[in-house]
Amino acid sequence: MSNLGDELIRLASADNFRDVAGDGYVSGDGTPLRRGVFFRSNELQLTHEDASTITDLGITAIYDLREATEVEAHPDVEVPGASWHHVEVTGIPHGVGAELADPAAAEEALRDVYRRFVTDPASRASFAALLRGLAVSTSAQLFHCTAGKDRTGWTSALLLRMAGVAEEVVLADYLRTNDIGLATRTKYLALVREHLGEDRVPVFERIMVADASYLAAADEAVESTYGGLQAYLRDGLGLDDDVVAGLRTRLLRA
């Protein structure tokens, strides 16, 4: 694998691309997470240079969590040396932003999306397929959705928790999207302003950000439905001990 995995890599054409292990996350016992193993991103509308960077990172599999309509509208750029896998998870319904009454309604819509990550059987099947694929891989892997904050954010939170990362770090990592994805968010909000009007901007802004209450909604669904993370992984996602152990092995330095 390329030693690029030891650096903080930023992509000009995918601003929410980053290493799941952050800039030096550690588990609860102080064990550092292994960088250059799992990467997360927003949609891969990549320049040739950025596609080459992903190849140089040794990434051999890309897992696309977007719905079929999202993939059709904006297919991933082919990355040399990487296979593409579609593990569809339903996100915020297309066009719903124009129908929501106000920012509070937008926030509740997003919380409902996160609850469905936990309660919807098809979503659970896709998250399980993704995590099984990551567990058995021997090279770097990448997963992404459209903005890289909801479906991707939930996956990253699960991985960090499985690695024993402190909860405040998990939350900070989840919210980091709001900083590094600012340029993309600003661009799309300008389009909302132009085509739908200024009054729609506050509504779409709540759709386009990561918010602690969104992640909390999924966590509450895990607790109320399964009684905790381990039972959700085992009974909700159907992951056996070998898969969870395999992910921990990949995530943590020996």
Side-chain angles (χ1 to χ4, degrees):
M1 182 184 300
S2 168
N3 62 9
L4 284 173
D6 296 327
E7 304 170 5
L8 285 172
I9 303 298
R10 307 294 301 129
L11 299 183
S13 55
D15 57 6
N16 209 3
F17 175 89
R18 45 192 163 118
D19 195 309
V20 169
D23 56 1
Y25 297 158
V26 299
S27 69
D29 64 5
T31 302
L33 269 64
R34 197 190 311 270
R35 300 196 67 248
V37 175
F38 298 143
F39 294 89
R40 55 178 291 182
S41 184
N42 49 327
E43 62 184 9
L44 301 182
Q45 303 301 297
L46 302 172
T47 63
H48 176 75
E49 181 180 4
D50 284 345
S52 295
T53 296
I54 290 178
T55 298
D56 291 343
L57 286 166
I59 292 171
T60 63
I62 293 168
Y63 293 88
D64 192 336
L65 291 152
R66 296 177 298 166
E67 296 178 60
T69 53
E70 297 172 277
V71 174
E72 183 179 356
H74 300 284
D76 281 352
V77 168
E78 183 176 350
V79 175
S83 58
W84 184 85
H85 307 269
H86 191 204
V87 282
E88 179 173 357
V89 177
T90 301
I92 187 78
H94 178 70
V96 75
E99 303 169 358
L100 295 168
D102 52 35
E107 291 174 359
E108 183 54 31
L110 262 295
R111 285 191 285 269
D112 189 56
V113 167
Y114 278 70
R115 294 183 191 107
R116 292 200 306 272
F117 291 164
V118 178
T119 61
D120 175 59
S123 295
R124 292 200 308 272
S126 289
F127 283 122
L130 167 61
L131 292 171
R132 289 191 186 100
L134 297 178
V136 300
S137 63
T138 58
S139 56
Q141 316 283 287
L142 182 153
F143 55 92
H144 77 91
C145 55
T146 294
K149 72 177 184 75
D150 299 323
R151 292 161 285 192
T152 296
W154 178 238
T155 303
S156 294
L158 291 177
L159 289 170
L160 294 177
R161 287 164 170 166
M162 279 187 268
V165 173
E167 195 58 34
E168 61 267 24
V169 177
V170 175
L171 178 58
D173 179 78
Y174 167 73
L175 294 174
R176 191 179 173 209
T177 286
N178 294 336
D179 295 324
I180 65 175
L182 177 60
T184 293
R185 190 165 69 254
T186 299
K187 178 182 72 174
Y188 282 111
L189 288 175
L191 292 173
V192 170
R193 182 177 292 108
E194 177 184 355
H195 295 287
L196 298 177
E198 182 66 38
D199 64 315
R200 292 284 87 193
V201 172
V203 173
F204 276 84
E205 191 271 341
R206 301 315 301 161
I207 293 173
M208 294 179 183
V209 297
D211 188 279
S213 75
Y214 304 163
L215 188 61
D219 292 337
E220 290 162 5
V222 165
E223 193 64 33
S224 63
T225 307
Y226 296 101
L229 177 64
Q230 298 309 312
Y232 165 69
L233 295 173
R234 182 186 65 245
D235 302 327
L237 300 186
L239 304 182
D240 59 30
D241 291 344
D242 288 344
V243 172
V244 175
L247 288 167
R248 285 181 54 83
T249 297
R250 296 224 67 209
L251 285 161
L252 296 168
R253 293 185 188 176

